[in-house]
Amino acid sequence: GGEATLPDCRPNYPVATPQSAVSMQGADGGAAVISFTTRDPMQDVAKFYENALREAGIKVSSTIATTDGDAKG
């Protein structure tokens, strides 16, 4: 398959290859799940997205990151 198409509302992590994305919108708000690969540490990527989304005025209610199938969050 080709490269995944990610939602327009999210910031672009500079050194990542998108793999998949799903976004949802409901009456009380929306959510997105984005999967990509990068050589950067998971903590750096999570921090980048949390900061960028908050700066854009988006409420971050939870963050779950995984590496090799181990959930961190």
Side-chain angles (χ1 to χ4, degrees):
E3 202 170 275
T5 302
L6 301 179
D8 292 334
C9 67
R10 57 90 187 117
N12 293 313
Y13 191 74
V15 289
T17 303
Q19 301 297 310
S20 64
V22 176
S23 59
M24 300 144 275
Q25 186 66 40
D28 294 328
V33 177
I34 301 170
S35 172
F36 56 87
T37 58
T38 183
R39 293 181 185 256
D40 289 357
M42 181 178 48
Q43 296 84 355
D44 293 352
V45 177
K47 189 85 161 163
F48 170 85
Y49 277 103
E50 286 178 25
N51 290 339
L53 293 170
R54 284 188 175 114
E55 287 174 11
I58 297 171
K59 179 184 175 187
V60 177
S61 59
S62 67
T63 302
I64 299 172
T66 64
T67 179
D68 297 328
D70 295 330
K72 314 279 186 197

